[in-house]
Amino acid sequence: MPSSSLTTPAPWRLLLMPRLQALRNGFRHRAQGGRFRPLVFAVVLALFWVGIFWLFHRVLDYFHTVPELGPVLSQKLLHLVFLTFFAVLLFSNVITGLSTFFLSRDLLLLIPAPVSPAQLFTAKFVETLLDSSWMVLLFSGPVFLAYGIVHESGPLYYLLAFVTLVLFLGIPAALGVIATMTLAYLLPAQRGKDMLVVFSALFLSLLYMLLRLLQPEKLVNPEAFSDLLSFLSAMRAPSSPFLPSAWAAEILLPFLQLKPEGSAGFHLLMLLSTTLFLFVVGSSLATRLYPLGWSKAQEGQRRRTLRQWWETGVAAAATVFPVHLRTMVLKDLKTFFRDTGQWSQLFMLLALVIVYVYNFSVLPVGGVGGSFYLQNVIAFFNLALAGFVLTSIAVRFVYPALSLEGKTFWVLKSAPVPLRRWWWSKFWTGVLPLLFFGELLVTVTNYFLRVSPFMATLSAVTLFFVTFGIVALGLAVGVGYPNFTAEHSAKIASSFGGVLYMVLCISFIGAVTVLEAWPVYVLFLSRLHGTPLSPAMWGGIITSLSCAFVLTVGMFWGATRWGLHRLEALEISL
Amino acid sequence: MIHLEHVTKRFGGFTAVDDLNLHIAEGEIFGFLGPNGAGKTTTIRMMMGLLKPTAGRICLGGHDLAIAPLAAKAISTFVPDRPFVYEKLTGREFLHFVGGLYQVPDKLLQTRAQEGLDFFHLVEWGDELIETYSHGMKQRLVVASALLPDPQILVVDEPMVGMDPIGTRMFKALLRSLTLKGKTVFMSTHSLEVAEELCDRIGIILGGRLIALGTLDELQRQAGTEERLEEIFLRLTAAPDMLEAIETLQAATARKFRV
């Protein structure tokens, strides 16, 4: 007889247990395997956490000192924070929901099991919520802490911030899951790929809409308003009273003494009732739509006329290359453009880049009031940011190169092909688009900034060499930390190696930028004041620029050498 | 054709393959048997350059894998136990990809790819994405790709897993025809019937060490029995308590059916 103390948990909790146990086992395994990785992870997370706190504390502290405008900007910033979370979470939940509800391998075990659709929905909803929102939950901590400290709020504020955030996270999760289930039900079978295209397009439109709603350029250009009163009035207007992000912000504002007349209770009830309502709708849809939607999603895509026009064109153009290179590049291009999980990330990056360029186009530094000095300082920031954008692209498309070969890497490893050919095929297919894209980005934004021709040329040349380092480093770290078992490419980018690559790359770009910034600063000052430079200064300038060049070339050479060595030594025991 | 000399592979403190010596002649079908975790797959992966031996030497067709890996790989192909292939390519594209890696001339590649799809009854699926294939179809595709470069040595790890009876029959016929052409086959399998039926010689590995080697007659002499390979295998590899448990179960079943 089983003991009465051994009670079986509710089915939805039982369904979540394998995931939680796997997580626990993963931690134990890592703890046994060495402390290096968790330590690096913890340090990186702590640095980011502290960095976010520092930034927000500084900004809010500054706002706090500005009478009238300061509190308005603090309010607006809180709205902006929640709105950004909402947009990011909505997209993230759609993608995660698609994975947990339709693609996850455990569904083959769970669907035939005697579990009600409502219980399955609850378990999968919680899984989606945790998967898509843990990062927001973690990194929003320093933001709310900074608000609380600057505005000297009591413990009730912190408690309410946590409750608000948890309720708020439920809304994009429910909306994302409902959208995924509905589309899977409505769209014809074998159109899983189209689903993601629709989602991506929706996200892009949403982002644009939110951008226009916020009118961020008004924050940096108050002269656009006829007087201070109209500026303040525009700032005080809520972004949209129907958005859950606005409700969440309105709950906290009275406790920050930013809007004493606000009704936190009303907005808290709005948030709570909407979260519960959407959950009930989702659960009801799960009973009606999910079984058929899931069945449709299982049907594979059959395509008789696979060869598309671009494939024929590329295949014809590639005949000039050696057979090994041609074979590998064609395979990579085909698998990339046929894998929705990979190419759909381009939409997200495109949106980020549009916002990036848009921000530079509305910055008032190039206008009448913009100074020569400010333009060129921002040009350096632009160079570093462009490098960061390239890194964030490379971490998704270059760094996972080996991991994406996955369990098929045996094909290449056992074939009579030197692995350095694989390396160079990946290198050139990574470096050429990134070079084109990076140069375009930095040239267009420098045009908006109206920087001097010298600065524009320096940015373009630096980015050219830095790109070689970024790609080589991405491949090398990817070879050093391969993940052959990831279910999709986004997971590879967010793994330990991905984080390590981002940290190394940002340090590399930061070092090159700093090494170039000082000589340029000295040259500009000399030009501005009309004073000639001493031979010692010239020596310093040449040394600093040489160091930047050596660092760039060294990164490319060192990463390539290390990566090739690791690649040759790599063992496959899958 | 295949020479393994004092090959050892250690993973940390665990020795997966221990001082293995094997010499397989041209045109021979060699069966490599052993219980789960005995070291079969590790041996095969070392032979294909996927793992590096901790010690020892592997030569394929006279080419030392450590010194001339590309020459050794150029004359040998591999069928792994699980058919991991590029899901987003079609079957035909996968064959062309493998042909490209082995530098098979274009026209010959077209012909051989078509022959492979024909032989393995995959013509109708040749232009479909591999992700829509069943496990057995993927397995047949991988075998077709391994034959495409016309290798001197074919190394197969558990080839029949997931194959339907037709696929299995085709594969067996294929192996026989290969040996007639002088090709050498190194095959690891759990199917003792297949090993008995096809292999010229059999090696049995246990705990990383080769414990028996020879023709079926030689193995029977070594095990002191004239019974079939299954009995020999059990006698050589199963622990006494396991044998006892099997015999108890067999006796209980026999009693039940007598009643």
Side-chain angles (χ1 to χ4, degrees), chain A residues 301-304 306 323-324 327 334 338 405 407-408 410 413-416 418 568 571-572 574, chain B residues 9 45 49-52 73 80 82 84-86 88 90 93 97 101-103 124-125 127-128 132:
Chain A
Q301 195 174 31
R302 290 189 64 144
R303 295 164 63 197
R304 281 243 157 247
L306 259 171
V323 65
H324 279 156
T327 305
K334 283 176 185 172
R338 289 175 191 175
E405 295 285 346
K407 294 172 179 174
T408 56
W410 68 268
K413 186 86 177 165
S414 63
E568 293 291 345
E571 297 197 328
I572 309 290
L574 291 165
Chain B
K9 179 67 185 177
R45 286 179 187 272
L50 301 175
L51 292 173
K52 286 192 193 325
K73 288 175 182 181
R82 284 172 291 176
F84 293 121
V85 279
Y86 303 100
K88 296 291 177 188
T90 65
E93 285 171 345
F97 173 69
L101 295 180
Y102 284 82
Q103 309 212 43
E124 282 211 12
W125 291 81
D127 295 316
E128 304 290 350
T132 63

Side-chain angles (χ1 to χ4, degrees), chain A residues 407 410 572-574, chain B residues 36-37 39-45 48 50 77-85 135-136 138-140 142-143 155-163 171 186-190:
Chain A
K407 294 172 179 174
W410 68 268
I572 309 290
S573 55
L574 291 165
Chain B
N36 294 328
K40 302 187 296 295
T41 298
T42 303
T43 304
I44 282 180
R45 286 179 187 272
M48 297 316 299
L50 301 175
T77 56
F78 176 43
V79 179
D81 53 347
R82 284 172 291 176
F84 293 121
V85 279
H135 177 90
K138 285 180 192 171
Q139 193 74 339
R140 279 190 260 163
V142 173
V143 177
V155 179
V156 280
D157 192 3
E158 298 292 349
M160 274 50 144
V161 176
M163 266 195 197
F171 187 71
F186 186 102
M187 177 172 66
S188 140
T189 180
H190 281 301

Side-chain angles (χ1 to χ4, degrees), chain B residues 240-259:
Chain B
D241 56 337
M242 205 182 280
L243 279 176
E244 203 176 309
I246 294 168
E247 278 164 15
T248 310
L249 276 173
Q250 282 173 338
T253 314
R255 272 201 303 277
K256 186 172 180 183
F257 279 104
R258 267 204 300 276
V259 171

Side-chain angles (χ1 to χ4, degrees), chain A residues 93 121 125 129 169-179 274-275 278-279 282:
Chain A
N93 276 295
F121 169 80
F125 174 77
L129 181 73
L169 293 176
I171 294 177
L175 284 174
V177 168
I178 289 171
T274 308
T275 308
L278 289 175
F279 178 78

Side-chain angles (χ1 to χ4, degrees), chain A residues 127-284:
Chain A
E127 198 179 330
T128 308
L129 181 73
L130 293 176
D131 273 355
S132 59
S133 313
W134 71 269
M135 215 179 261
V136 166
L137 196 63
L138 185 70
F139 289 115
S140 62
V143 177
F144 295 117
L145 186 66
Y147 262 100
I149 289 174
V150 170
H151 294 280
E152 295 169 358
S153 301
L156 189 61
Y157 158 77
Y158 294 102
L159 180 71
L160 207 58
F162 180 73
V163 173
T164 303
L165 197 63
V166 170
L167 289 176
F168 171 72
L169 293 176
I171 294 177
L175 284 174
V177 168
I178 289 171
T180 310
M181 283 197 299
T182 312
L183 279 165
Y185 176 77
L186 292 176
L187 288 170
Q190 303 168 11
R191 299 295 292 275
K193 196 178 260 190
D194 297 337
M195 282 170 68
L196 267 174
V197 177
V198 172
F199 294 149
S200 304
L202 274 175
F203 173 66
L204 204 64
S205 317
L206 194 70
L207 200 72
Y208 263 128
M209 200 175 69
L210 294 176
L211 205 70
R212 294 314 306 160
L213 270 173
L214 278 170
Q215 298 177 298
E217 66 271 26
K218 288 189 177 173
L219 280 169
V220 291
N221 192 16
E223 288 86 359
F225 294 91
S226 56
D227 54 43
L228 184 66
L229 274 180
S230 65
F231 178 66
L232 285 177
S233 145
M235 287 292 100
R236 281 202 177 106
S239 308
S240 170
F242 300 108
L243 280 177
S245 57
W247 307 337
E250 293 293 325
I251 293 168
L252 300 180
L253 290 176
F255 292 88
L256 293 164
Q257 279 79 46
L258 284 169
K259 204 173 183 182
E261 77 283 6
S263 51
F266 170 73
H267 288 108
L268 187 64
L269 280 175
M270 284 290 285
L271 206 60
L272 177 68
S273 56
T274 308
T275 308
L276 289 176
F277 171 72
L278 289 175
F279 178 78
V280 172
V281 170
S283 185
S284 165

